Amino acid sequence: MRLLKDTLARRGMGLVTALPGLLVLLIVVGLFLKSKAILGVAPLSRLLFSSAWHPLKGEFGLLPFIAGTVWVTVTALVLAVPVSILAAVYLSEYAPRWVREAAKPVIDLLAGLPSVVYGVWGVILVVPFVGNVLAPLAGVTSSGYSILAGGIVLAIMTFPTIIHVTLEVFSTVPRSLREASLSLGATKWETTRHVVLRKGAQGILAASVLGFSRAFGETMAVLMVVGNVPAVPRSLFDPGYPLPALIANNYGEMMSVPRYDAALMSAALVLMLIVLFFNVLARRILVRVERRVR
Amino acid sequence: MNGRADARLGQRKRTELFFRTLAAVSAAIVLLSLLLILGTVLWKAVPALSLSMLTQTPRGGFYLGKEGGILNAIVGSLDLALGATALAFLLSLPLALYLNVYKGRASKTAVWTRFFLDVLWGVPSIVYGAFGFVVMLALGLRASLLAGILTVALLELPIMTRAIDEVMRLVPRELTDASASLGATRFETALKVLVRQSAPGILTGVLLAFGRGIGDAASVLFTAGFTDRIPGSLADPAATLPLAIFFQLGTPFPEVQQRAYASAAVLTLIILLISLAGRAMSRKVTRHVVK
């Protein structure tokens, strides 16, 4: 009887375990099937590289949206990566114990805040700041709803991801290596630069890639501050229209215009595939880092 | 000779000081940004916060700045997140147990499953939303509480499972071996040793997923719909707080935008409460843990 229970439980649990792999497959296949309607009409290159977005005329060029996503994400990373890595250096190498202990819940909370709250904050503070302070400084006029505003909000959202992974990587650098460097008379920063950062270089790369893929798919916060104008942006102060925002903004109309839904689903598919690629890349780097440590 | 060495040392000391300051400033930026966000949202919200906002559903003209509250969204969000968390838990626990009890911790199945869970963790919530929508159409469901719960459960699954898995991996081998040597089947070991031993961690994982579920907007945008009424059954559409905030902020009326700030404060407070409760409760459940 007990053995029977054990066998049953084992089978049941085994079945559930197949779920994650199956789900990844299902998402890709499901979105692909839905976007087939448009792939049959327009060649893939026109879908991806045309900037003509006229749903009513049946023209669906995703280029402005892909460009918008790339602009916002790259801006966010340029802001977030140096700050996050330096913050991680401070927390792991310099900070007294109590600061390190106090920082943990703060970073967790930062990661747990809903993206809508980030968006509201962006609208209240970042958008006017960009429009009234930064844009005049740069000598341009901007409403504030811009790539830069999206990038700033997104940068703060990616802090926790990058810091978390970087801290973990730093903790795998053996103490003895640091001590060896210090005992040779190197200053703390010299030790950090030549030992910790060098040893952790790959891990930091992985952390940045993970941050990238997190930022790439972020929807609501960016959507609220980025302006949503479907044109390829030319400067940081121009509005943009990232892929996730496109999907989120148009779900209402998509059933009434022919092939609109297929175009949106293909946007989701593009998003999924890119994120998948970067995730796999980051994991592979991290696995290699872990193996080397052992 | 000596002078030059001194100059070098001074230079190195200045570099040290410079980078030390830079690193400290960066850390301060990160930590203060949380304060700045919380401060701004709460400060903007105070003038619009009122009891009627929390206890009433929207009346006619609510989105034009008239009477009413966001009770529909609060209840909808709680229903949705509770349902999704329960469903995700029913899948996560067996999954994590299977990886840790039946399969070797470093077996091929375990490694691949963890990899897929990590991939799922990285999938943007808007993609879950789109996928949920595709499934909904395929099954002939309308936008409803049920569809929302299913989608959010998928979103929560990797978060919860990975969190539970991490703590179960820390349970010492000797404990499970001791249980097995007493003649317990692996299922019994799983329930009575692993689950109990990692209870605090499981709780943290569940709350983490709950927080993520209640705050997510992009996944419920297509699937849960939006309504001014409190959902009466699983087939009804349900309003959610994040979407309520989004829609209110999108109106051109300052009064309604004020309410968006207030709603954002409510959502933030819920998240803060969950995180505090998690800390407090996980300390309590530790009593049963064998050290």
Side-chain angles (χ1 to χ4, degrees):
Chain A
M1 183 64 207
R2 287 169 57 213
L3 275 179
L4 183 69
K5 233 188 198 167
D6 188 62
T7 318
L8 280 180
R10 178 200 191 127
R11 289 271 157 77
M13 288 178 178
L15 223 58
V16 176
T17 307
L19 204 66
L22 212 61
L23 199 56
V24 173
L25 196 71
L26 265 180
I27 293 178
V28 173
V29 170
L31 291 177
F32 177 73
L33 285 180
K34 271 283 155 186
S35 43
K36 238 172 59 186
I38 195 153
L39 291 174
V41 183
L44 187 65
S45 61
R46 195 182 318 151
L47 184 66
L48 291 183
F49 302 117
S50 156
S51 56
W53 179 258
H54 305 292
L56 292 175
K57 285 194 251 162
E59 291 179 334
F60 301 98
L62 290 178
L63 184 66
F65 309 101
I66 295 175
T69 313
V70 172
W71 270 82
V72 174
T73 313
V74 170
T75 310
L77 281 192
V78 167
L79 295 173
V81 169
V83 176
S84 310
I85 291 174
L86 281 168
V89 165
Y90 180 76
L91 290 177
S92 94
E93 309 297 322
Y94 288 109
R97 212 190 142 82
W98 68 269
V99 173
R100 212 176 311 164
E101 292 295 312
K104 229 183 140 263
V106 172
I107 292 173
D108 284 350
L109 209 56
L110 207 55
L113 277 186
S115 56
V116 178
V117 173
Y118 278 100
V120 168
W121 174 72
V123 170
I124 297 175
L125 211 66
V126 179
V127 168
F129 178 68
V130 170
N132 303 332
V133 181
L134 290 182
L137 274 183
V140 290
T141 48
S142 164
S143 63
Y145 288 93
S146 58
I147 298 283
L148 186 58
I152 292 174
V153 171
L154 206 48
I156 295 177
M157 296 183 74
T158 44
F159 281 159
T161 313
I162 305 182
I163 292 178
H164 195 84
V165 181
T166 310
L167 276 180
E168 222 147 83
V169 170
F170 284 172
S171 71
T172 62
V173 177
R175 240 211 124 71
S176 51
L177 278 184
R178 290 192 184 98
E179 278 161 2
S181 162
L182 288 172
S183 71
L184 288 175
T187 62
K188 218 144 190 202
W189 168 251
E190 285 163 353
T191 304
T192 305
R193 195 176 136 203
H194 295 296
V195 178
V196 181
L197 288 183
R198 180 153 303 171
K199 269 266 157 201
Q202 279 194 328
I204 293 172
L205 182 69
S208 309
V209 175
L210 273 186
F212 182 84
S213 72
R214 172 112 294 183
F216 209 79
E218 175 46 45
T219 311
M220 292 318 259
V222 178
L223 158 72
M224 288 160 83
V225 299
V226 83
N228 302 328
V229 173
V232 178
R234 289 178 201 295
S235 91
L236 284 178
F237 294 98
D238 279 351
Y241 205 158
L243 276 176
L246 170 74
I247 306 169
N249 264 339
N250 294 294
Y251 75 103
E253 294 125 69
M254 71 180 177
M255 300 315 281
S256 49
V257 181
R259 288 200 288 277
Y260 205 162
D261 59 333
L264 290 187
M265 290 305 156
S266 66
L269 184 64
V270 170
L271 208 56
M272 172 79 187
L273 291 179
I274 293 175
V275 168
L276 205 65
F277 172 74
F278 280 108
N279 253 307
V280 172
L281 186 70
R283 295 291 162 202
R284 289 202 56 171
I285 302 173
L286 278 179
V287 165
R288 207 183 312 153
V289 172
E290 239 176 71
R291 221 178 269 154
R292 216 188 34 205
V293 169
R294 272 181 203 142
Chain B
M1 184 66 201
N2 225 343
R4 214 190 296 157
D6 276 354
R8 276 278 292 149
L9 191 62
Q11 167 81 39
R12 285 173 63 204
K13 276 189 171 158
R14 273 194 296 280
T15 315
E16 168 73 17
L17 189 68
F18 173 72
F19 278 104
R20 192 194 169 114
T21 319
L22 200 64
V25 168
S26 303
I29 291 178
V30 172
L31 302 184
L32 288 179
S33 57
L34 176 74
L35 270 185
L36 188 64
I37 293 170
L38 292 183
T40 317
V41 171
L42 291 181
W43 174 65
K44 275 277 186 180
V46 168
L49 263 181
S50 66
L51 199 62
S52 66
M53 234 191 107
L54 301 180
T55 53
Q56 290 178 8
T57 56
R59 305 257 177 86
F62 176 70
Y63 297 100
L64 303 171
K66 299 256 179 60
E67 297 272 281
I70 51 162
L71 184 66
N72 61 327
I74 297 177
V75 175
S77 261
L78 287 176
D79 279 355
L80 191 91
L82 280 176
T85 308
L87 192 60
F89 182 67
L90 283 180
L91 295 172
S92 299
L93 190 66
L95 220 168
L97 282 176
Y98 190 76
L99 293 186
N100 284 288
V101 181
Y102 289 99
K103 287 285 157 186
R105 286 174 192 186
S107 70
K108 243 189 171 148
T109 322
V111 169
W112 275 101
T113 308
R114 282 189 191 115
F115 170 75
F116 281 125
L117 283 169
D118 283 341
V119 167
L120 283 177
W121 189 320
V123 172
S125 62
I126 187 83
V127 171
Y128 280 109
F131 175 68
F133 186 72
V134 171
V135 172
M136 232 168 69
L137 288 185
L139 298 179
L141 280 171
R142 281 187 317 121
S144 61
L145 187 56
L146 181 66
I149 286 177
L150 289 174
T151 311
V152 176
L154 291 185
L155 176 92
E156 288 184 9
L157 178 72
I159 300 168
M160 203 189 284
T161 313
R162 278 304 254 146
I164 295 179
D165 181 43
E166 288 296 324
V167 290
M168 282 191 178
R169 282 166 92 173
L170 297 179
V171 172
R173 190 84 222 207
E174 293 81 30
L175 279 175
T176 44
D177 286 350
S179 164
S181 71
L182 290 175
T185 63
R186 284 193 282 194
F187 183 53
E188 287 161 349
T189 308
L191 286 188
K192 291 182 182 151
V193 179
L194 247 92
V195 170
R196 182 167 286 198
Q197 193 67 17
S198 42
I202 294 177
L203 195 74
T204 315
V206 169
L207 287 175
L208 185 73
F210 183 84
R212 194 59 68 83
I214 203 169
D216 196 72
S219 60
V220 292
L221 193 58
F222 304 98
T223 49
F226 200 84
T227 166
D228 283 351
R229 278 191 303 274
I230 291 173
S233 81
L234 282 175
D236 288 346
T240 45
L241 262 177
L243 286 185
I245 298 167
F246 180 60
F247 291 146
Q248 286 171 345
L249 202 65
T251 62
F253 309 103
E255 299 93 335
V256 184
Q257 290 177 356
Q258 284 276 317
R259 285 199 195 125
Y261 305 150
S263 316
V266 171
L267 181 59
T268 310
L269 287 178
I270 293 179
I271 299 280
L272 283 177
L273 271 180
I274 293 170
S275 134
L276 284 178
R279 270 165 216 290
M281 272 155 76
S282 70
R283 224 165 275 146
K284 243 186 175 169
V285 201
T286 332
R287 275 185 316 195
H288 300 292
V289 175
V290 184
K291 285 267 164 60

